[in-house]
Every structure is written in C-alpha cells, then in structure tokens.
C-alpha cells in the first residue's frame, strides 16, 4: 500500500453488518456488500474482510479482484476461501485464530460429560415425565484423542486433561513430549491407534489431506464404546460412513457441531439417530464473539496500514497458520 | 464384641442383594431383609448394614434393636437413619463418605456446561429437527459458590476450579485461605453474599441447620442470571419457593438431582418448567458404585471384627463425618 493513499476495503457481510468498525472506517474507504455485490466491491479494493465466513461467494467473484493484496476471514477455518486462484496469487490470507479456542474446548468437555452422565436420556425422560435411575460413567482416567494440534486442539487437550482425562494428539508429524498432548500420532495412520480411545475429537483444519479422514475404515477401528466429537469441519467426515457405523454399533455415539452440508438437511438421519447430539455450528460462538472477531480484524488492519507484520498469516499450501509463525510480513 | 462369638449382621436391602458379600458372610451370621422383616432381623443383631439407603424403615423397627452396636449406611447422607433414638443411643453410625465425591463433581461440572452451552435447548431443537444457531456462554472466570465443605464439596470445588471457574465455599464456619475454596462464607448468612455468584451448588448434608436453607429469601438474593444446582438433599430446598423463584425470573435455571419427594411426583411443576434439568438422584452413581459401596462396608466390617477403629464415623450431633476425624473408635 502506498501510505499516502486511503485504502479501499471490501467487507463481505450480507445483512448483518459487523459491529465496532468506526476505527477501520476512519482509515479506509469501506464497501459493505453481500454476495451479489461482491464483484463490484472487489474491483479496485486493496483488502477484503470476509465477515460472513460461511459464504462461498469469494471464488466466483475473484476475477474482479484487480488490486487485492490482503484477505482476512472471520473464522479459524479458511477452507471457504482457499481456492486455487487465491492459493497461487500473492494475496496474503489471515484468519481469526485464537478467538474460538477456549469456547470450543469448553464445548468439547461439555459433550464428553453429556455422554458420560447420559444427559440426553435424562432430558428425554424429563420431557416424558419419567423417573428412571441409571448408572453413569466417570470421565477421569478415560482416554481421549484430539486430532488437530493447532490452538483449538491444544486448548481442548489442556481442558480435558485438567478435568482428569488422559489425552493424546494426532497431527501431521508423530512425536512425543509435546507440552499439551504428550504423545502425538501421525494423523495419516488413524486406524492404527483409534481403537485405544474412549473419545475421539476432530478439530483438524479442512485440507486435501484431512478431507474425509473419518471414513468407514476409521470408524471400524474405534471401540464400540467410543464417542466421536466433531467441532472441526463436516467435510472431515464421510457422513454416510458415520451413519452406517452408528447404525452398526461400531461406535457408541457422536456429538456433531459441523456437517458436510449446513444447515443440516431436514432428511438427514443424524437428527434422529440415537446417541447423536446435533448442534448448529455454534461451539465457538460465545456471547461477544462477533465483537471479538472485529477486534481481531481491526488490530490486523491497523498493522496493515502501518506497514507492520500481520498476525495469523495462513500458509496457503498447508491450509492453516503454522504454529511456528505467529506473525509474518503483510 | 466378644471375639469368640460370631456376630449377627442384619442387612436391609429389599429385593436387590448387595454383591460381593462373601468375605462378610464368612465372618458373621448375615440376615438379609426387606423393610417388613427388619424388626425380626434386628432382634439379637450386633450390626446393621443399611444397603437400601433410601429406606425409611429403620426408625419404625428400632424398638427391636436389643443389642445393636453399629449401623453402617451405604450413602454419604445419613439423614434417613439419624432419628432421635439412634442419636441418643451408644450405637456407632458410619457412612460411605468418599465413594461419590468425584462422580458428583463431574456431574456438577457437566450441568454447569450444559447451562453455559445451552445443551437442553439444542436437544429440544434436534428432536424438532430445527437448525437454530445461538450464542453460548463461557464458564472460565464465572463465579461459583459451593455450599457444603465436606469431601463432595471439595472435589466439586477442585474440578470446577481446574476448568477455569472462580470458586468459593459456604460452611458452618467463615474463614479464608481454605485449600480448596479459598474463601468460605458462613452458610447461615446465605442471602448476604448469594448475589455475587453465577452458579450456586448445594452439596450440604441435611441437618436441622440446613433444612430449607434455600427459601424465598435465598432465591431473591441470587442474580437473575444465576443457576442453582442441587446434588445434596431435596429437603435443603423449599420446593414451592424454588418454583416461584423460577417462574418469577429470580434465577435463570436449576439442575436438580434430588427432591423433597423421590421419585419426583408426576404433577410436580419441576418436570416442565423451562430451564430446569431434572435427573433421578443419580449424580454419584457411576458404573461400579454398588460394588464400591460394599467394599467400603466390608473394609469397615473387617476393622470392626478385628477391634480396630472404624472409618467414616458420623458425629451424630452434627449429622455428618467431621473433616478432622477420619477414624474413631468403633
């Protein structure tokens, strides 16, 4: 950016405008747009803030991006904007790494306890006015595998361990002595070790390597008493294989916050399968999250206009922010 | 006990016999009985094991206890057997302190997370096939008051703190610097400080002092956003006051595992009030609890026949095992 020019910022947001944009508006020409207006807003824009992070509109409007140098997305996962033309371009991609970590960790601990204490059955019995005593499970000492060793996976591992569980990780590189996970398995070899775990938690980013990693072979390798938790991306899972595994008793339950198609279609068997907990992609969305997302963007925007290194720069080949590089040249 | 005699042990158990009694049966004449046969079983008995810990049959059969010296109950709460004649007698009373601590702590953390993450609404929406995104709450940094500073309260305080919450206690004696609670308030002055807490957890024993401690005045003192959790005894609560407070918006929810009348009567409004979670007195009952209860009794039985000090001796004036005295002469 030439310092003497006022930059042009396109904001993809649909009907809900991002809050607290005054500081950004004071230092840029801001063009708020929905998906339909995106090509027009991108023409001549220096930066794009994808506030509507579930939108799939960016690839189709990309041809209009004639001077874009920076794209920031208000989510941790960057898969909706990581298409080949962006990957091969010089446009810097940043995400909202860090915002959701602890909220998602709490959510995962919550569903683990919901399974162990049989809360869904308690609520169904309550709705039916039925008093029926059951025995419940302990979580202390149970084995958990967290697949994904980024900041969300690390926050999850720390919280589950604090609650008394035994936690391991799976990531791109097998290793021992990790500060949060202890042992980290190679996530390319899931079926080899999945059978050791009572809970399997998916928080990996969606990449070519992770897409469909939870397939029939993975579910067949799990304990029949195991529960599967997905707070990463729906596309990590071959949904039809998950449904078949649940029906076949190859695992004991699943808590799913993300789905291959969102909203989950009305005819999906996941709505009604026993021992499945469905939530609408909300695990990280604590009260105040939208303001926090804008704060993260605004802080990066201030760095960008000041010529300072941006935070949360995505390695576009990997598909996520590498742990080693928290900051990089913007 | 005279060492040369084989002691007579009455076991109040109804239809479900306690498991793993072989070691006890080898060293005593064991009379298994239900409530109806209790007077006959008590006549000439040296000890009574109340395995059916919810039974209210002991006071009515007490006149038949002509040589009883020890009563053990398979629960933490001793209120079903702490009637005046027992209190004024020389019969030693022991309980199952310690068995339920960690399981109940996990249950409390589970319902706290269920409230924060709005799990009940997620499940109701799932049952209706409705996708509706909401924002959720964090639990980290939220203030919790645990009323009851015995081992269950302490396990609960430790686990909630490990999960990031800010925990205080309330007990018979106000103090600071407690290892598990930090600050402990005087539980006789609840309304003075209840308004500081996001979650209020009742785990106190049922005594003359604690009966009905959660009344209209207590609920009026809570934050309208607060949630109340009862894993102690139903009689700690004036149920009609709780119902009125929930209806009046004086608190935001309640998770209730215990009730003034159990099973909870079909016409109780608690079944259907919004933001109330009802469970059937199961918070401590992890898989294996019955064997563990018999192990605790059998270990005390071995001590008793060997003339060693019993564990978990209840102070019959206080109504619980004092923290200071883990063992006492049997």
């Amino acid at each position: 950016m030439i310092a003497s020019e006022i930059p042009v910022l396109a904001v993809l947001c649909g009907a809900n405008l991002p809050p607290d944009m005054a500081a950004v508006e004071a230092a840029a020409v801001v063009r708020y747009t929905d998906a339909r207006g995106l090509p027009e807003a991108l023409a001549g824009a220096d930066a794009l803030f994808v506030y509507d992070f579930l939108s799939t509109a960016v690839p189709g409007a990309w041809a209009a991006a004639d001077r874009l140098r920076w794209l920031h997305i208000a989510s941790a996962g960057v898969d909706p904007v990581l298409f080949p033309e962006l990957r091969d371009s010089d446009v810097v991609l940043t995400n909202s790494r860090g915002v959701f970590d602890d909220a998602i960790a709490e959510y995962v601990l919550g569903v683990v306890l919901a399974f162990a204490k049989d809360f869904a059955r308690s609520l169904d019995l309550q709705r039916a006015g039925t008093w029926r005593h059951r025995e419940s499970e302990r979580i202390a000492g149970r084995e958990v595998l967290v697949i994904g060793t980024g900041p969300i996976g690390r926050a999850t591992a720390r919280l589950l361990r604090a609650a008394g569980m035994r936690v391991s990780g799976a990531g791109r590189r097998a290793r021992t002595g990790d500060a949060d996970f202890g042992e980290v398995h190679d996530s390319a070899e899931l079926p080899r070790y999945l059978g050791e775990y009572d809970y399997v938690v998916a928080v990996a980013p969606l990449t070519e390597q992770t897409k469909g990693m939870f397939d029939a072979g993975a579910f067949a390798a799990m304990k029949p008493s195991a529960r599967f938790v997905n707070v990463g991306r729906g596309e990590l899972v071959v949904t039809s294989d998950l449904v078949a595994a649940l029906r076949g008793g190859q695992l004991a339950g699943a808590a799913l916050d993300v789905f291959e198609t969102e909203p989950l279609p009305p005819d999906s068997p996941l709505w009604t399968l026993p021992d499945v907990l469905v939530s609408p992609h909300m695990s990280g969305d604590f009260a105040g999250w939208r303001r926090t997302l804008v704060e993260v963007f605004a802080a990066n925007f201030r760095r960008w206009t000041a010529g300072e290194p941006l935070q949360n720069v995505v390695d576009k080949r990997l598909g996520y922010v590498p742990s080693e590089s928290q900051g990089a040249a913007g």
Side-chain angles (χ1 to χ4, degrees), chain A residues 12 38 42 48 50 55-63 71 80-81 83:
Chain A
L12 175 58
L38 186 59
L42 272 178
L48 171 62
V50 180
S55 170
T56 56
V58 178
W62 194 245
L71 190 162
V81 294
F83 49 99

Side-chain angles (χ1 to χ4, degrees), chain A residues 159-185:
Chain A
L159 186 60
L160 296 179
R161 180 168 290 134
M165 307 190 80
R166 299 158 64 96
V167 183
S168 308
R172 290 206 324 147
R173 189 170 54 81
R175 54 199 187 270
T176 56
D178 182 276
D180 295 317
F181 295 101
E183 181 168 16
V184 176
H185 298 286

Side-chain angles (χ1 to χ4, degrees), chain A residues 241-293:
Chain A
D241 288 358
L242 173 60
V243 169
L246 287 162
R247 284 181 171 149
Q250 293 184 308
L251 69 167
L256 307 170
D257 189 54
V258 290
F259 303 88
E260 281 194 85
T261 306
E262 295 179 7
L264 185 64
D267 61 350
S268 170
L270 293 171
W271 286 111
T272 51
L273 272 175
D275 303 308
V276 172
L277 305 176
V278 167
S279 57
H281 202 148
M282 62 182 275
S283 70
D285 302 346
F286 58 93
W289 66 301
R290 292 188 176 277
R291 282 181 196 284
T292 306
L293 285 173

Side-chain angles (χ1 to χ4, degrees), chain A residues 98-143:
Chain A
V99 171
F100 305 97
D101 304 355
D102 294 326
I104 293 179
E106 290 180 354
Y107 184 92
V108 172
L109 178 58
V111 296
V112 165
L113 281 162
F115 280 126
K117 306 306 175 185
D118 210 19
F119 283 165
R121 193 152 293 117
S122 285
L123 194 67
D124 286 339
L125 288 165
Q126 179 181 345
R127 296 290 181 253
T130 302
W131 178 279
R132 188 180 304 153
H133 181 275
R134 292 101 62 211
E135 295 182 351
S136 63
E137 300 169 16
R138 298 290 314 278
I139 67 163
R142 296 300 172 100
E143 298 277 355

Side-chain angles (χ1 to χ4, degrees), chain A residues 201-217:
Chain A
V201 181
V203 291
L206 178 62
T207 66
E208 286 306 312
Q209 286 72 44
T210 64
K211 185 169 179 170
M213 70 194 298
F214 296 98
D215 58 11

